[in-house]
Amino acid sequence: MLTISKELEQELQQKIQSNSGVIPKTLLDSLMAKFDIEIKQLLQSLLPIAARFSIAPISNFNVGAIAYSSDSECAYIGSNLEFNHAALCLVVHAEQSAINTAWLNGETHISHIAITDAPCGHCRQFINEVKLSEQIEILLPNTNTSLSELLPHSFGPADLGNETRLLDVSAPKTTVPKLPISSELLKHYHASYAPYSGNKSAVEIVTAQHGNFYGRCAENVAYNPSLSPLQSALSQMALSGLSLDKVEVVEITLVETEQYKNQSGVADVVLESFTGKYEIKKAYVS
Ligand SMILES: [Zn+2]
């Protein structure tokens, strides 16, 4: 594997951070030309940088993942995110984080996922929710494999009668109900993936100096590997080198579906794991 100098590693980390975890095609192209390597090798070489975004106060086990689309030729960083003093089931895994970055940035296709370590069963199931997951190539430190090989005889969305998949494009609704929330948050609400509970949901974190962060729920057919909208937004913050503890937060808003709401308690528990006290504004779409 290519060894990247400390200077270049820092420069790339800064670029990725200012791009909330996205590595555009132009940057990937220039790195492939500079080192005369192909994309798979490059993705694997960039993994140590992805792992630097990890926040793992419980395990101290830093995981990095990079999702890549051979259609858009862009790459998306992910890292694990643990919350002190909150249930372990709330941890965001690096592979979930990378897919979340791709999805929130409008990506509709993932062809490869490079990971610093073999994906756990939870992540194999999470990846299985993605559109055309059976074709995704998994790049590990010592071998390249496929999701089909890592998750044979799988339980997938179709087993619960769900014909949609994560990253499928669904047209956002244009009708805007009268809610005290931003239009951007409403867009994320409509783009969220909740085929099992029906509870579409999204979160907006407004900071004083670092812009706004958004997250959406990404449900899973096995239910437990689902990602809540607050976890999704906090993962995006981590990839920008930030956390709630380190910035001035102006407002946090959760929007979910009145009829099926199930995210309010989860958001409260995650926020309680931070030392600061945060009020969360809650809005419901009826
Ligand atoms: Zn995992």
Side-chain angles (χ1 to χ4, degrees), residues 136-150:
I136 295 178
E137 196 174 343
I138 309 284
L139 313 176
L140 299 176
N142 299 315
T143 186
N144 293 346
T145 180
S146 65
L147 186 69
S148 328
E149 201 165 56
L150 292 175

PDB file of all heavy atoms in Angstrom, residues 136-150:
ATOM      1  N   ILE A 136     -21.635  -4.493  -4.550  1.00  0.00           N
ATOM      2  CA  ILE A 136     -20.618  -3.654  -3.888  1.00  0.00           C
ATOM      3  C   ILE A 136     -19.367  -4.478  -3.578  1.00  0.00           C
ATOM      4  O   ILE A 136     -19.448  -5.557  -2.985  1.00  0.00           O
ATOM      5  CB  ILE A 136     -21.178  -3.013  -2.597  1.00  0.00           C
ATOM      6  CG1 ILE A 136     -22.312  -2.045  -2.946  1.00  0.00           C
ATOM      7  CG2 ILE A 136     -20.068  -2.275  -1.831  1.00  0.00           C
ATOM      8  CD1 ILE A 136     -22.978  -1.394  -1.751  1.00  0.00           C
ATOM      9  N   GLU A 137     -18.225  -3.923  -3.992  1.00  0.00           N
ATOM     10  CA  GLU A 137     -16.947  -4.584  -3.701  1.00  0.00           C
ATOM     11  C   GLU A 137     -16.420  -4.037  -2.372  1.00  0.00           C
ATOM     12  O   GLU A 137     -16.444  -2.817  -2.151  1.00  0.00           O
ATOM     13  CB  GLU A 137     -15.952  -4.301  -4.830  1.00  0.00           C
ATOM     14  CG  GLU A 137     -14.786  -5.239  -4.807  1.00  0.00           C
ATOM     15  CD  GLU A 137     -13.854  -5.084  -6.012  1.00  0.00           C
ATOM     16  OE1 GLU A 137     -14.263  -4.471  -7.028  1.00  0.00           O
ATOM     17  OE2 GLU A 137     -12.728  -5.559  -5.916  1.00  0.00           O
ATOM     18  N   ILE A 138     -15.986  -4.932  -1.500  1.00  0.00           N
ATOM     19  CA  ILE A 138     -15.482  -4.525  -0.185  1.00  0.00           C
ATOM     20  C   ILE A 138     -13.957  -4.662  -0.198  1.00  0.00           C
ATOM     21  O   ILE A 138     -13.439  -5.759  -0.445  1.00  0.00           O
ATOM     22  CB  ILE A 138     -16.069  -5.415   0.942  1.00  0.00           C
ATOM     23  CG1 ILE A 138     -17.607  -5.501   0.849  1.00  0.00           C
ATOM     24  CG2 ILE A 138     -15.606  -4.927   2.313  1.00  0.00           C
ATOM     25  CD1 ILE A 138     -18.374  -4.305   1.328  1.00  0.00           C
ATOM     26  N   LEU A 139     -13.270  -3.541   0.044  1.00  0.00           N
ATOM     27  CA  LEU A 139     -11.808  -3.535  -0.004  1.00  0.00           C
ATOM     28  C   LEU A 139     -11.271  -3.564   1.421  1.00  0.00           C
ATOM     29  O   LEU A 139     -11.452  -2.609   2.178  1.00  0.00           O
ATOM     30  CB  LEU A 139     -11.309  -2.284  -0.729  1.00  0.00           C
ATOM     31  CG  LEU A 139     -11.997  -1.943  -2.066  1.00  0.00           C
ATOM     32  CD1 LEU A 139     -11.478  -0.622  -2.624  1.00  0.00           C
ATOM     33  CD2 LEU A 139     -11.788  -3.059  -3.081  1.00  0.00           C
ATOM     34  N   LEU A 140     -10.628  -4.658   1.790  1.00  0.00           N
ATOM     35  CA  LEU A 140     -10.077  -4.813   3.146  1.00  0.00           C
ATOM     36  C   LEU A 140      -8.551  -4.759   3.076  1.00  0.00           C
ATOM     37  O   LEU A 140      -7.975  -4.902   1.993  1.00  0.00           O
ATOM     38  CB  LEU A 140     -10.561  -6.139   3.742  1.00  0.00           C
ATOM     39  CG  LEU A 140     -12.085  -6.251   3.888  1.00  0.00           C
ATOM     40  CD1 LEU A 140     -12.470  -7.627   4.401  1.00  0.00           C
ATOM     41  CD2 LEU A 140     -12.608  -5.166   4.823  1.00  0.00           C
ATOM     42  N   PRO A 141      -7.879  -4.585   4.203  1.00  0.00           N
ATOM     43  CA  PRO A 141      -6.418  -4.446   4.157  1.00  0.00           C
ATOM     44  C   PRO A 141      -5.708  -5.595   3.429  1.00  0.00           C
ATOM     45  O   PRO A 141      -4.770  -5.363   2.684  1.00  0.00           O
ATOM     46  CB  PRO A 141      -6.028  -4.414   5.637  1.00  0.00           C
ATOM     47  CG  PRO A 141      -7.227  -3.863   6.314  1.00  0.00           C
ATOM     48  CD  PRO A 141      -8.406  -4.373   5.549  1.00  0.00           C
ATOM     49  N   ASN A 142      -6.172  -6.821   3.602  1.00  0.00           N
ATOM     50  CA  ASN A 142      -5.445  -7.932   2.987  1.00  0.00           C
ATOM     51  C   ASN A 142      -6.183  -8.656   1.879  1.00  0.00           C
ATOM     52  O   ASN A 142      -5.668  -9.589   1.290  1.00  0.00           O
ATOM     53  CB  ASN A 142      -5.049  -8.957   4.058  1.00  0.00           C
ATOM     54  CG  ASN A 142      -4.140  -8.313   5.077  1.00  0.00           C
ATOM     55  OD1 ASN A 142      -3.213  -7.594   4.716  1.00  0.00           O
ATOM     56  ND2 ASN A 142      -4.434  -8.527   6.352  1.00  0.00           N
ATOM     57  N   THR A 143      -7.399  -8.240   1.608  1.00  0.00           N
ATOM     58  CA  THR A 143      -8.156  -8.930   0.567  1.00  0.00           C
ATOM     59  C   THR A 143      -9.282  -8.034   0.041  1.00  0.00           C
ATOM     60  O   THR A 143      -9.742  -7.136   0.733  1.00  0.00           O
ATOM     61  CB  THR A 143      -8.750 -10.251   1.118  1.00  0.00           C
ATOM     62  OG1 THR A 143      -9.366 -10.954   0.049  1.00  0.00           O
ATOM     63  CG2 THR A 143      -9.801 -10.013   2.192  1.00  0.00           C
ATOM     64  N   ASN A 144      -9.675  -8.299  -1.193  1.00  0.00           N
ATOM     65  CA  ASN A 144     -10.858  -7.637  -1.731  1.00  0.00           C
ATOM     66  C   ASN A 144     -11.943  -8.693  -1.864  1.00  0.00           C
ATOM     67  O   ASN A 144     -11.689  -9.800  -2.329  1.00  0.00           O
ATOM     68  CB  ASN A 144     -10.558  -7.027  -3.107  1.00  0.00           C
ATOM     69  CG  ASN A 144      -9.568  -5.872  -2.987  1.00  0.00           C
ATOM     70  OD1 ASN A 144      -9.326  -5.375  -1.900  1.00  0.00           O
ATOM     71  ND2 ASN A 144      -9.004  -5.468  -4.107  1.00  0.00           N
ATOM     72  N   THR A 145     -13.155  -8.338  -1.447  1.00  0.00           N
ATOM     73  CA  THR A 145     -14.232  -9.317  -1.469  1.00  0.00           C
ATOM     74  C   THR A 145     -15.522  -8.597  -1.866  1.00  0.00           C
ATOM     75  O   THR A 145     -15.487  -7.470  -2.335  1.00  0.00           O
ATOM     76  CB  THR A 145     -14.321 -10.020  -0.085  1.00  0.00           C
ATOM     77  OG1 THR A 145     -15.364 -10.980  -0.114  1.00  0.00           O
ATOM     78  CG2 THR A 145     -14.570  -9.047   1.053  1.00  0.00           C
ATOM     79  N   SER A 146     -16.640  -9.275  -1.717  1.00  0.00           N
ATOM     80  CA  SER A 146     -17.904  -8.637  -2.083  1.00  0.00           C
ATOM     81  C   SER A 146     -18.880  -8.814  -0.932  1.00  0.00           C
ATOM     82  O   SER A 146     -18.689  -9.673  -0.067  1.00  0.00           O
ATOM     83  CB  SER A 146     -18.490  -9.309  -3.327  1.00  0.00           C
ATOM     84  OG  SER A 146     -18.828 -10.648  -3.000  1.00  0.00           O
ATOM     85  N   LEU A 147     -19.937  -8.005  -0.931  1.00  0.00           N
ATOM     86  CA  LEU A 147     -20.916  -8.153   0.140  1.00  0.00           C
ATOM     87  C   LEU A 147     -21.587  -9.519   0.061  1.00  0.00           C
ATOM     88  O   LEU A 147     -21.839 -10.153   1.087  1.00  0.00           O
ATOM     89  CB  LEU A 147     -21.969  -7.043   0.094  1.00  0.00           C
ATOM     90  CG  LEU A 147     -22.926  -7.092   1.284  1.00  0.00           C
ATOM     91  CD1 LEU A 147     -22.218  -6.721   2.579  1.00  0.00           C
ATOM     92  CD2 LEU A 147     -24.133  -6.210   1.077  1.00  0.00           C
ATOM     93  N   SER A 148     -21.841  -9.990  -1.167  1.00  0.00           N
ATOM     94  CA  SER A 148     -22.498 -11.301  -1.313  1.00  0.00           C
ATOM     95  C   SER A 148     -21.671 -12.393  -0.649  1.00  0.00           C
ATOM     96  O   SER A 148     -22.211 -13.350  -0.098  1.00  0.00           O
ATOM     97  CB  SER A 148     -22.696 -11.661  -2.772  1.00  0.00           C
ATOM     98  OG  SER A 148     -22.899 -10.530  -3.538  1.00  0.00           O
ATOM     99  N   GLU A 149     -20.346 -12.255  -0.721  1.00  0.00           N
ATOM    100  CA  GLU A 149     -19.481 -13.254  -0.125  1.00  0.00           C
ATOM    101  C   GLU A 149     -19.479 -13.125   1.402  1.00  0.00           C
ATOM    102  O   GLU A 149     -19.430 -14.120   2.123  1.00  0.00           O
ATOM    103  CB  GLU A 149     -18.055 -13.064  -0.653  1.00  0.00           C
ATOM    104  CG  GLU A 149     -17.187 -14.285  -0.524  1.00  0.00           C
ATOM    105  CD  GLU A 149     -15.931 -14.143  -1.390  1.00  0.00           C
ATOM    106  OE1 GLU A 149     -15.187 -13.162  -1.232  1.00  0.00           O
ATOM    107  OE2 GLU A 149     -15.733 -15.011  -2.236  1.00  0.00           O
ATOM    108  N   LEU A 150     -19.558 -11.881   1.881  1.00  0.00           N
ATOM    109  CA  LEU A 150     -19.520 -11.647   3.335  1.00  0.00           C
ATOM    110  C   LEU A 150     -20.866 -11.883   4.004  1.00  0.00           C
ATOM    111  O   LEU A 150     -20.942 -12.054   5.212  1.00  0.00           O
ATOM    112  CB  LEU A 150     -19.080 -10.208   3.624  1.00  0.00           C
ATOM    113  CG  LEU A 150     -17.639  -9.845   3.284  1.00  0.00           C
ATOM    114  CD1 LEU A 150     -17.397  -8.359   3.511  1.00  0.00           C
ATOM    115  CD2 LEU A 150     -16.670 -10.663   4.121  1.00  0.00           C
TER     116      LEU A 150
END
